Amino acid sequence: MSGTVAVRLAGGRVLEVPEPGWCTGVHEDGRALEDVLHEGPEMHLEVVTRFGPQRVLTASVTQYPFASIPARRAPVGSVDLGGAWFELDAAGLVRLADGLAGYAGRLRELAAVLPAGAG
């Protein structure tokens, strides 16, 4: 933890909550206590296409420290996969990274059969 932050809850109540060092410090006002969200900086994977750069993957660390479901209170990796967000623990993020590394090899195989300079 790197300190505390004041979060304005629904109804105007202000609550001081512990702030993890990875959190960007941006908290949406007017949420219910269980919806208070810590978010780390987003990282993006972009590919350059003939239509310009396209974002294909976004990930960050998130945490709902006051969630009504205890399992949601721990920090997780939140990953946008095809327009839907998924929460992954550390092992899940490693499995995703391993899958992406394997997929990168398959993409290189596809690239090898294309003519150089194709699009």
Side-chain angles (χ1 to χ4, degrees):
M1 296 290 159
S2 66
T4 61
V5 64
V7 176
R8 186 173 304 281
L9 301 175
R13 185 173 138 218
V14 176
L15 179 68
E16 290 284 325
V17 298
E19 182 85 307
W22 49 261
C23 185
T24 62
V26 177
H27 298 277
E28 187 177 325
D29 287 341
R31 288 182 170 231
L33 180 62
E34 61 270 9
D35 296 325
V36 170
L37 172 64
H38 292 302
E39 293 181 280
E42 289 185 348
M43 26 187 270
H44 307 283
L45 172 62
E46 289 187 345
V47 296
V48 178
T49 72
R50 63 181 73 176
F51 305 107
Q54 302 295 315
R55 188 173 293 171
V56 295
L57 189 65
T58 300
S60 67
V61 175
T62 61
Q63 178 187 19
Y64 290 89
F66 304 104
S68 57
I69 301 169
R72 296 207 64 213
R73 294 180 191 153
V76 294
S78 292
V79 183
D80 180 358
L81 301 169
W85 286 88
F86 295 89
E87 294 179 348
L88 302 173
D89 61 10
L93 286 174
V94 169
R95 283 191 300 273
L96 174 61
D98 290 346
L100 290 170
Y103 195 73
R106 294 176 59 204
L107 289 173
R108 287 184 180 90
E109 291 171 6
L110 287 177
V113 302
L114 295 176

